[in-house]
Amino acid sequence: MSNTIEYKGYIGSVEFSEEDGVFFGKVMGIRAMVSYEGENAHDLVEDFHSAVDSYLETCAAEGIEPEKAYKGSFNVRISPELHKQAAITAAARQMSLNSFVESSIAQAVRTGN
C-alpha cells in the first residue's frame, strides 16, 4: 500500500480525514498549491489527474513554465562539523562533496536507513 500517487511526473500525497470521510492530498515537491480530494480511491485519483491537468493548462494559458518536482537540486543544512567531516571523507575517496552526498543518499534509500 502506498500513500502517494503519480501522474505526468507529479507525485501526490494520499491522506484520509476520518472526520470528513474523505480522501485528500496535494502535489508534492512544487511551490504551487495543487490539491484534490475524493470520497473513494477512484474519485481521488480522478480529481488528482484533473488537478494536475488544470495546473498545466493554467501555466500554458499564462505563458509560464510549470514547476517540475524533484528536479535534482536542493539545499541541505547540516552542522559545520558534519560538513567538515563529509568534505574530508569525500576528499579521501577522491570524490566531490556533491558526489559523496549523492552516493550516501542513494545507499540510504536502497537500504532503507
Side-chain angles (χ1 to χ4, degrees):
M1 178 181 242
S2 175
N3 61 350
T4 60
I5 50 181
E6 184 173 354
Y7 178 65
K8 293 187 176 177
Y10 291 92
I11 307 294
S13 63
V14 175
E15 300 184 52
F16 179 71
S17 170
E18 184 176 3
E19 180 179 326
D20 299 323
V22 67
F23 291 95
F24 66 96
K26 66 179 182 174
V27 174
M28 303 183 318
I30 63 173
R31 290 181 304 248
M33 176 51 114
V34 180
S35 61
Y36 43 89
E37 65 179 50
E39 292 185 7
N40 56 54
H42 181 266
D43 291 348
L44 178 76
V45 171
E46 277 193 355
D47 200 43
F48 170 59
H49 290 188
S50 293
V52 170
D53 288 339
S54 179
Y55 169 69
L56 295 174
E57 290 166 9
T58 299
C59 289
E62 295 179 5
I64 59 173
E65 187 71 25
E67 291 179 75
K68 289 293 182 190
Y70 313 113
K71 55 190 174 227
S73 176
F74 65 99
N75 293 321
V76 178
R77 307 242 186 287
I78 59 175
S79 72
E81 183 59 29
L82 183 56
H83 187 176
K84 174 182 161 186
Q85 292 301 315
I88 291 168
T89 302
R93 295 180 183 182
Q94 298 182 337
M95 301 172 78
S96 69
L97 181 56
N98 190 70
S99 294
F100 174 70
V101 170
E102 182 178 5
S103 68
S104 297
I105 291 173
Q107 180 180 357
V109 168
R110 278 192 306 274
T111 63
N113 293 327

